[in-house]
Amino acid sequence: MIKKTVRGLAAAALTVLPLFSASPAQAAEPLSLADAVQQLPLADESREGYQRTSFKHWVDADKDSCNTRMEVLIAESRVEPTIEGACKVVAGEWFSYYDAVTLTAPGGLDIDHMVPLAEAWDSGASGWTAARREAYASDLGSERSLVAVTAKTNRSKSDQDPAEWLPPLADARCTYATDWVSTKLRWGLAVDQVEADALAELAEGCGQETVEYEPAN
């Protein structure tokens, strides 16, 4: 299993979102990936009314001059990053786990929303307030929500779910499925039947993966 850099902002909480439940219940221990997939609410998806501008993102939520992109670059660099000006990351070392590529220049990196904004809209975010959508788009409370990856793989993924796209590196797919499921559970997002089936199939080959997440406020 590929391990991602643990961020200081990440907090592990052992919680479960029951099927069709409005609020998560406490769990005694981490869930297996297969069990976590079963906890995802099932619903049809609709992209009606979606606009990317519905999700204000890359904000400076904590007013420290670093926007969300810079925060992720700083958190995920394997070496101390070089920062210029108020908060512009110009060098570091990043491992794109989707394709096992290491980069030292941030220009080759995109910050991927693990569950893309359009997919989040389809899965329940269409009914959120603007403030909750903004919080989702710049979620620094979980290391799984946002990830620095090569621009090539992020743009190949686009707004597709795991039934339509998986990382090109086969060894990354169990980690990816875990990150995807964790993010959907964290934000109370649903899956459609095709997506649920694809995740269940992935989980069969990912027996060592466990899901831990903290529900978003």
PDB file of all heavy atoms in Angstrom, residues 158-181:
ATOM      1  N   SER A 158     -10.233  14.075 -14.541  1.00  0.00           N
ATOM      2  CA  SER A 158     -11.303  15.056 -14.724  1.00  0.00           C
ATOM      3  C   SER A 158     -12.351  14.895 -13.620  1.00  0.00           C
ATOM      4  O   SER A 158     -12.017  14.910 -12.441  1.00  0.00           O
ATOM      5  CB  SER A 158     -11.902  14.918 -16.128  1.00  0.00           C
ATOM      6  OG  SER A 158     -12.841  15.934 -16.382  1.00  0.00           O
ATOM      7  N   ASP A 159     -13.623  14.724 -13.998  1.00  0.00           N
ATOM      8  CA  ASP A 159     -14.684  14.615 -12.993  1.00  0.00           C
ATOM      9  C   ASP A 159     -15.233  13.193 -12.896  1.00  0.00           C
ATOM     10  O   ASP A 159     -16.351  12.979 -12.449  1.00  0.00           O
ATOM     11  CB  ASP A 159     -15.816  15.591 -13.300  1.00  0.00           C
ATOM     12  CG  ASP A 159     -16.445  15.369 -14.672  1.00  0.00           C
ATOM     13  OD1 ASP A 159     -16.062  14.395 -15.371  1.00  0.00           O
ATOM     14  OD2 ASP A 159     -17.319  16.151 -15.070  1.00  0.00           O
ATOM     15  N   GLN A 160     -14.420  12.204 -13.265  1.00  0.00           N
ATOM     16  CA  GLN A 160     -14.883  10.816 -13.311  1.00  0.00           C
ATOM     17  C   GLN A 160     -14.798  10.134 -11.938  1.00  0.00           C
ATOM     18  O   GLN A 160     -13.932  10.439 -11.128  1.00  0.00           O
ATOM     19  CB  GLN A 160     -14.051  10.033 -14.327  1.00  0.00           C
ATOM     20  CG  GLN A 160     -14.174  10.592 -15.743  1.00  0.00           C
ATOM     21  CD  GLN A 160     -13.261   9.874 -16.717  1.00  0.00           C
ATOM     22  OE1 GLN A 160     -13.677   8.941 -17.395  1.00  0.00           O
ATOM     23  NE2 GLN A 160     -12.018  10.305 -16.788  1.00  0.00           N
ATOM     24  N   ASP A 161     -15.707   9.187 -11.727  1.00  0.00           N
ATOM     25  CA  ASP A 161     -15.672   8.412 -10.489  1.00  0.00           C
ATOM     26  C   ASP A 161     -14.905   7.103 -10.729  1.00  0.00           C
ATOM     27  O   ASP A 161     -14.475   6.830 -11.852  1.00  0.00           O
ATOM     28  CB  ASP A 161     -17.084   8.182  -9.950  1.00  0.00           C
ATOM     29  CG  ASP A 161     -17.923   7.228 -10.796  1.00  0.00           C
ATOM     30  OD1 ASP A 161     -17.365   6.352 -11.482  1.00  0.00           O
ATOM     31  OD2 ASP A 161     -19.168   7.352 -10.759  1.00  0.00           O
ATOM     32  N   PRO A 162     -14.696   6.266  -9.701  1.00  0.00           N
ATOM     33  CA  PRO A 162     -13.884   5.058  -9.870  1.00  0.00           C
ATOM     34  C   PRO A 162     -14.455   4.016 -10.821  1.00  0.00           C
ATOM     35  O   PRO A 162     -13.742   3.077 -11.201  1.00  0.00           O
ATOM     36  CB  PRO A 162     -13.780   4.506  -8.444  1.00  0.00           C
ATOM     37  CG  PRO A 162     -13.904   5.711  -7.581  1.00  0.00           C
ATOM     38  CD  PRO A 162     -14.950   6.550  -8.271  1.00  0.00           C
ATOM     39  N   ALA A 163     -15.715   4.133 -11.214  1.00  0.00           N
ATOM     40  CA  ALA A 163     -16.247   3.236 -12.239  1.00  0.00           C
ATOM     41  C   ALA A 163     -15.732   3.629 -13.617  1.00  0.00           C
ATOM     42  O   ALA A 163     -15.760   2.814 -14.551  1.00  0.00           O
ATOM     43  CB  ALA A 163     -17.774   3.273 -12.233  1.00  0.00           C
ATOM     44  N   GLU A 164     -15.251   4.874 -13.728  1.00  0.00           N
ATOM     45  CA  GLU A 164     -14.830   5.414 -15.020  1.00  0.00           C
ATOM     46  C   GLU A 164     -13.330   5.660 -15.116  1.00  0.00           C
ATOM     47  O   GLU A 164     -12.775   5.670 -16.215  1.00  0.00           O
ATOM     48  CB  GLU A 164     -15.563   6.737 -15.273  1.00  0.00           C
ATOM     49  CG  GLU A 164     -17.078   6.612 -15.220  1.00  0.00           C
ATOM     50  CD  GLU A 164     -17.769   7.947 -15.032  1.00  0.00           C
ATOM     51  OE1 GLU A 164     -17.352   8.727 -14.147  1.00  0.00           O
ATOM     52  OE2 GLU A 164     -18.732   8.219 -15.761  1.00  0.00           O
ATOM     53  N   TRP A 165     -12.673   5.881 -13.987  1.00  0.00           N
ATOM     54  CA  TRP A 165     -11.244   6.196 -13.998  1.00  0.00           C
ATOM     55  C   TRP A 165     -10.596   5.701 -12.720  1.00  0.00           C
ATOM     56  O   TRP A 165     -11.158   5.823 -11.618  1.00  0.00           O
ATOM     57  CB  TRP A 165     -11.034   7.706 -14.096  1.00  0.00           C
ATOM     58  CG  TRP A 165      -9.594   8.123 -14.255  1.00  0.00           C
ATOM     59  CD1 TRP A 165      -8.917   8.308 -15.426  1.00  0.00           C
ATOM     60  CD2 TRP A 165      -8.640   8.380 -13.206  1.00  0.00           C
ATOM     61  NE1 TRP A 165      -7.617   8.675 -15.169  1.00  0.00           N
ATOM     62  CE2 TRP A 165      -7.415   8.724 -13.815  1.00  0.00           C
ATOM     63  CE3 TRP A 165      -8.717   8.365 -11.809  1.00  0.00           C
ATOM     64  CZ2 TRP A 165      -6.269   9.038 -13.090  1.00  0.00           C
ATOM     65  CZ3 TRP A 165      -7.570   8.671 -11.066  1.00  0.00           C
ATOM     66  CH2 TRP A 165      -6.361   9.008 -11.722  1.00  0.00           C
ATOM     67  N   LEU A 166      -9.384   5.142 -12.863  1.00  0.00           N
ATOM     68  CA  LEU A 166      -8.549   4.761 -11.738  1.00  0.00           C
ATOM     69  C   LEU A 166      -7.117   5.199 -12.036  1.00  0.00           C
ATOM     70  O   LEU A 166      -6.745   5.381 -13.202  1.00  0.00           O
ATOM     71  CB  LEU A 166      -8.591   3.247 -11.513  1.00  0.00           C
ATOM     72  CG  LEU A 166      -9.902   2.672 -10.983  1.00  0.00           C
ATOM     73  CD1 LEU A 166      -9.893   1.153 -11.064  1.00  0.00           C
ATOM     74  CD2 LEU A 166     -10.162   3.137  -9.542  1.00  0.00           C
ATOM     75  N   PRO A 167      -6.297   5.384 -11.013  1.00  0.00           N
ATOM     76  CA  PRO A 167      -4.906   5.771 -11.270  1.00  0.00           C
ATOM     77  C   PRO A 167      -4.220   4.797 -12.213  1.00  0.00           C
ATOM     78  O   PRO A 167      -4.455   3.582 -12.141  1.00  0.00           O
ATOM     79  CB  PRO A 167      -4.274   5.724  -9.869  1.00  0.00           C
ATOM     80  CG  PRO A 167      -5.408   5.954  -8.940  1.00  0.00           C
ATOM     81  CD  PRO A 167      -6.583   5.271  -9.575  1.00  0.00           C
ATOM     82  N   PRO A 168      -3.353   5.311 -13.090  1.00  0.00           N
ATOM     83  CA  PRO A 168      -2.653   4.411 -14.018  1.00  0.00           C
ATOM     84  C   PRO A 168      -1.731   3.419 -13.323  1.00  0.00           C
ATOM     85  O   PRO A 168      -1.470   2.337 -13.857  1.00  0.00           O
ATOM     86  CB  PRO A 168      -1.866   5.380 -14.915  1.00  0.00           C
ATOM     87  CG  PRO A 168      -1.782   6.657 -14.142  1.00  0.00           C
ATOM     88  CD  PRO A 168      -3.032   6.726 -13.327  1.00  0.00           C
ATOM     89  N   LEU A 169      -1.235   3.763 -12.138  1.00  0.00           N
ATOM     90  CA  LEU A 169      -0.397   2.851 -11.369  1.00  0.00           C
ATOM     91  C   LEU A 169      -1.296   1.876 -10.606  1.00  0.00           C
ATOM     92  O   LEU A 169      -2.034   2.281  -9.704  1.00  0.00           O
ATOM     93  CB  LEU A 169       0.485   3.639 -10.396  1.00  0.00           C
ATOM     94  CG  LEU A 169       1.461   2.815  -9.558  1.00  0.00           C
ATOM     95  CD1 LEU A 169       2.534   2.191 -10.435  1.00  0.00           C
ATOM     96  CD2 LEU A 169       2.086   3.683  -8.471  1.00  0.00           C
ATOM     97  N   ALA A 170      -1.234   0.604 -10.973  1.00  0.00           N
ATOM     98  CA  ALA A 170      -2.126  -0.383 -10.357  1.00  0.00           C
ATOM     99  C   ALA A 170      -1.952  -0.445  -8.845  1.00  0.00           C
ATOM    100  O   ALA A 170      -2.935  -0.612  -8.109  1.00  0.00           O
ATOM    101  CB  ALA A 170      -1.873  -1.760 -10.975  1.00  0.00           C
ATOM    102  N   ASP A 171      -0.720  -0.285  -8.350  1.00  0.00           N
ATOM    103  CA  ASP A 171      -0.470  -0.370  -6.923  1.00  0.00           C
ATOM    104  C   ASP A 171      -1.094   0.788  -6.143  1.00  0.00           C
ATOM    105  O   ASP A 171      -1.165   0.729  -4.911  1.00  0.00           O
ATOM    106  CB  ASP A 171       1.040  -0.396  -6.654  1.00  0.00           C
ATOM    107  CG  ASP A 171       1.678  -1.729  -7.011  1.00  0.00           C
ATOM    108  OD1 ASP A 171       0.919  -2.702  -7.255  1.00  0.00           O
ATOM    109  OD2 ASP A 171       2.910  -1.819  -7.043  1.00  0.00           O
ATOM    110  N   ALA A 172      -1.526   1.828  -6.850  1.00  0.00           N
ATOM    111  CA  ALA A 172      -2.132   2.983  -6.182  1.00  0.00           C
ATOM    112  C   ALA A 172      -3.639   2.829  -5.992  1.00  0.00           C
ATOM    113  O   ALA A 172      -4.258   3.627  -5.277  1.00  0.00           O
ATOM    114  CB  ALA A 172      -1.848   4.247  -6.993  1.00  0.00           C
ATOM    115  N   ARG A 173      -4.234   1.840  -6.596  1.00  0.00           N
ATOM    116  CA  ARG A 173      -5.694   1.812  -6.685  1.00  0.00           C
ATOM    117  C   ARG A 173      -6.383   1.502  -5.371  1.00  0.00           C
ATOM    118  O   ARG A 173      -7.475   2.009  -5.110  1.00  0.00           O
ATOM    119  CB  ARG A 173      -6.120   0.843  -7.793  1.00  0.00           C
ATOM    120  CG  ARG A 173      -5.716   1.385  -9.166  1.00  0.00           C
ATOM    121  CD  ARG A 173      -5.957   0.437 -10.311  1.00  0.00           C
ATOM    122  NE  ARG A 173      -5.464   1.042 -11.554  1.00  0.00           N
ATOM    123  CZ  ARG A 173      -5.385   0.404 -12.716  1.00  0.00           C
ATOM    124  NH1 ARG A 173      -5.790  -0.861 -12.801  1.00  0.00           N
ATOM    125  NH2 ARG A 173      -4.914   1.027 -13.781  1.00  0.00           N
ATOM    126  N   CYS A 174      -5.780   0.696  -4.514  1.00  0.00           N
ATOM    127  CA  CYS A 174      -6.402   0.437  -3.210  1.00  0.00           C
ATOM    128  C   CYS A 174      -6.366   1.689  -2.350  1.00  0.00           C
ATOM    129  O   CYS A 174      -7.354   2.015  -1.670  1.00  0.00           O
ATOM    130  CB  CYS A 174      -5.694  -0.718  -2.513  1.00  0.00           C
ATOM    131  SG  CYS A 174      -6.063  -2.348  -3.231  1.00  0.00           S
ATOM    132  N   THR A 175      -5.243   2.401  -2.366  1.00  0.00           N
ATOM    133  CA  THR A 175      -5.156   3.658  -1.638  1.00  0.00           C
ATOM    134  C   THR A 175      -6.170   4.651  -2.185  1.00  0.00           C
ATOM    135  O   THR A 175      -6.855   5.350  -1.428  1.00  0.00           O
ATOM    136  CB  THR A 175      -3.742   4.251  -1.743  1.00  0.00           C
ATOM    137  OG1 THR A 175      -2.805   3.344  -1.173  1.00  0.00           O
ATOM    138  CG2 THR A 175      -3.641   5.586  -1.024  1.00  0.00           C
ATOM    139  N   TYR A 176      -6.286   4.708  -3.496  1.00  0.00           N
ATOM    140  CA  TYR A 176      -7.214   5.637  -4.131  1.00  0.00           C
ATOM    141  C   TYR A 176      -8.658   5.327  -3.732  1.00  0.00           C
ATOM    142  O   TYR A 176      -9.424   6.233  -3.380  1.00  0.00           O
ATOM    143  CB  TYR A 176      -7.057   5.557  -5.645  1.00  0.00           C
ATOM    144  CG  TYR A 176      -7.914   6.532  -6.411  1.00  0.00           C
ATOM    145  CD1 TYR A 176      -7.552   7.867  -6.503  1.00  0.00           C
ATOM    146  CD2 TYR A 176      -9.086   6.118  -7.032  1.00  0.00           C
ATOM    147  CE1 TYR A 176      -8.342   8.775  -7.197  1.00  0.00           C
ATOM    148  CE2 TYR A 176      -9.884   7.014  -7.726  1.00  0.00           C
ATOM    149  CZ  TYR A 176      -9.500   8.344  -7.814  1.00  0.00           C
ATOM    150  OH  TYR A 176     -10.292   9.235  -8.495  1.00  0.00           O
ATOM    151  N   ALA A 177      -9.023   4.064  -3.779  1.00  0.00           N
ATOM    152  CA  ALA A 177     -10.388   3.679  -3.407  1.00  0.00           C
ATOM    153  C   ALA A 177     -10.670   4.027  -1.951  1.00  0.00           C
ATOM    154  O   ALA A 177     -11.765   4.506  -1.607  1.00  0.00           O
ATOM    155  CB  ALA A 177     -10.600   2.186  -3.646  1.00  0.00           C
ATOM    156  N   THR A 178      -9.687   3.824  -1.084  1.00  0.00           N
ATOM    157  CA  THR A 178      -9.847   4.162   0.326  1.00  0.00           C
ATOM    158  C   THR A 178     -10.012   5.657   0.508  1.00  0.00           C
ATOM    159  O   THR A 178     -10.870   6.122   1.276  1.00  0.00           O
ATOM    160  CB  THR A 178      -8.639   3.648   1.120  1.00  0.00           C
ATOM    161  OG1 THR A 178      -8.533   2.235   0.949  1.00  0.00           O
ATOM    162  CG2 THR A 178      -8.783   3.957   2.603  1.00  0.00           C
ATOM    163  N   ASP A 179      -9.200   6.435  -0.186  1.00  0.00           N
ATOM    164  CA  ASP A 179      -9.312   7.891  -0.103  1.00  0.00           C
ATOM    165  C   ASP A 179     -10.668   8.362  -0.611  1.00  0.00           C
ATOM    166  O   ASP A 179     -11.286   9.272  -0.029  1.00  0.00           O
ATOM    167  CB  ASP A 179      -8.202   8.543  -0.927  1.00  0.00           C
ATOM    168  CG  ASP A 179      -6.822   8.397  -0.298  1.00  0.00           C
ATOM    169  OD1 ASP A 179      -6.728   7.911   0.845  1.00  0.00           O
ATOM    170  OD2 ASP A 179      -5.823   8.762  -0.958  1.00  0.00           O
ATOM    171  N   TRP A 180     -11.133   7.770  -1.680  1.00  0.00           N
ATOM    172  CA  TRP A 180     -12.427   8.153  -2.271  1.00  0.00           C
ATOM    173  C   TRP A 180     -13.580   7.866  -1.295  1.00  0.00           C
ATOM    174  O   TRP A 180     -14.421   8.731  -1.021  1.00  0.00           O
ATOM    175  CB  TRP A 180     -12.635   7.391  -3.574  1.00  0.00           C
ATOM    176  CG  TRP A 180     -13.901   7.732  -4.305  1.00  0.00           C
ATOM    177  CD1 TRP A 180     -15.152   7.244  -4.053  1.00  0.00           C
ATOM    178  CD2 TRP A 180     -14.047   8.641  -5.400  1.00  0.00           C
ATOM    179  NE1 TRP A 180     -16.069   7.779  -4.924  1.00  0.00           N
ATOM    180  CE2 TRP A 180     -15.416   8.645  -5.772  1.00  0.00           C
ATOM    181  CE3 TRP A 180     -13.150   9.436  -6.121  1.00  0.00           C
ATOM    182  CZ2 TRP A 180     -15.907   9.413  -6.823  1.00  0.00           C
ATOM    183  CZ3 TRP A 180     -13.638  10.216  -7.174  1.00  0.00           C
ATOM    184  CH2 TRP A 180     -15.007  10.205  -7.516  1.00  0.00           C
ATOM    185  N   VAL A 181     -13.599   6.647  -0.775  1.00  0.00           N
ATOM    186  CA  VAL A 181     -14.674   6.247   0.140  1.00  0.00           C
ATOM    187  C   VAL A 181     -14.622   7.092   1.415  1.00  0.00           C
ATOM    188  O   VAL A 181     -15.665   7.548   1.925  1.00  0.00           O
ATOM    189  CB  VAL A 181     -14.586   4.744   0.448  1.00  0.00           C
ATOM    190  CG1 VAL A 181     -15.562   4.353   1.558  1.00  0.00           C
ATOM    191  CG2 VAL A 181     -14.869   3.925  -0.815  1.00  0.00           C
TER     192      VAL A 181
END
